[in-house]
Amino acid sequence: MDEKLEKKIDETTEEKPEINDEISLEQKLKDSEEKTLRALAEIENQRRRFEKEIRDAFEFGGFNLAKETLSILDNLQRAKISIKNDEGLKDNKDLYKFLENIDIVEKDLISIFAKNKIKKIISVKEKFDPNLHQAMMEIEDETVEPGTIVQEIQPGYMYGDRLLRPSFVGVAKKIDQNNKEKEEKKGV
């Protein structure tokens, strides 16, 4: 009986290493498959990121140039206003021609902006949107709803669907009754 028992024990111990080897081989195969799938997924994610970066580079590659170019338009518009308001130049007979040329350059620049998906943000009489506007001051005004833009200090622009520069605006607020009473007392 001992011999039979020993044979069975020997057979089971011999089978166990084979089972352990099979499990470890199956486990190794599963681990390898999992690592391969993860590596493939990482490669696919990286490929998508690169494609998005390339699309963004083509679509928004001129973002910084566009942002810097806005100052040219701003300065051109300021110069035009300054020249129109200069009393010494009002009597100059060539002033009209000069302002006409500034208008042409301004229109050309705006046309170039439009061709390159740079659009001015319409602000006045619109509801204040912190994603598009930067409030520079509050203006007491009973004629419009509080939070409505009543003055544009500097226009904002979009580059496609991205904000290039926010509009600097004055926003309507309710008239403060305390200030109104103080002003009425001063007037009396």
Side-chain angles (χ1 to χ4, degrees):
M1 217 175 192
D2 284 338
E3 284 179 27
K4 286 182 184 178
L5 199 61
E6 280 180 24
K7 269 188 181 181
K8 282 187 180 180
I9 290 174
D10 285 341
E11 286 175 13
T12 12
T13 51
E14 284 177 17
E15 287 175 13
K16 280 186 182 177
E18 287 176 16
I19 292 172
N20 286 342
D21 285 345
E22 285 178 22
I23 291 174
S24 64
L25 286 176
E26 285 178 13
Q27 187 62 38
K28 286 180 183 178
L29 181 61
K30 283 182 182 178
D31 289 346
S32 295
E33 285 176 352
E34 187 176 317
K35 286 179 183 177
T36 304
L37 289 174
R38 286 178 190 242
L40 289 173
E42 181 61 33
I43 290 169
E44 181 64 21
N45 289 340
Q46 191 172 23
R47 183 187 63 79
R48 287 183 187 149
R49 278 193 302 269
F50 287 150
E51 285 176 356
K52 183 183 182 311
E53 287 175 9
I54 290 170
R55 273 193 317 273
D56 286 350
F58 278 115
E59 192 171 337
F60 299 108
F63 186 84
N64 289 333
L65 177 64
K67 194 170 189 175
E68 296 297 323
T69 307
L70 287 178
S71 65
I72 296 171
L73 181 61
D74 293 337
N75 289 333
L76 195 60
Q77 291 168 341
R78 284 187 203 111
K80 187 170 73 171
I81 291 168
S82 177
I83 291 169
K84 282 182 180 179
N85 294 333
D86 191 332
E87 293 296 324
L89 294 174
K90 282 190 178 184
D91 296 332
N92 190 328
K93 61 183 176 182
D94 295 325
L95 178 64
Y96 177 74
K97 290 179 185 176
F98 183 72
L99 288 174
E100 195 174 272
N101 289 328
I102 288 180
D103 284 338
I104 291 170
V105 172
E106 182 181 5
K107 287 176 185 173
D108 285 347
L109 194 53
I110 291 170
S111 172
I112 290 168
F113 282 176
K115 289 176 187 173
N116 289 285
K117 300 184 291 180
I118 300 170
K119 296 177 187 169
K120 185 177 177 183
I121 298 170
I122 306 300
S123 298
V124 178
K125 297 182 183 174
E126 297 291 322
K127 195 77 173 156
F128 178 79
D129 181 355
N131 297 315
L132 301 175
H133 309 115
Q134 183 172 341
M136 302 304 288
M137 65 179 133
E138 289 184 312
I139 301 170
E140 292 181 346
D141 192 341
E142 290 181 335
T143 61
V144 294
E145 184 179 327
T148 302
I149 297 169
V150 292
Q151 182 182 3
E152 183 177 64
I153 298 164
Q154 185 177 32
Y157 290 87
M158 297 292 290
Y159 186 65
D161 60 350
R162 287 188 181 181
L163 181 66
L164 190 57
R165 178 178 76 192
S167 296
F168 297 145
V169 297
V171 182
K173 72 173 186 174
K174 289 183 180 179
I175 293 179
D176 186 10
Q177 292 301 324
N178 293 333
N179 285 344
K180 190 175 182 181
E181 290 171 8
K182 287 179 186 176
E183 286 178 15
E184 287 175 1
K185 287 180 184 177
K186 286 181 185 178
V188 172

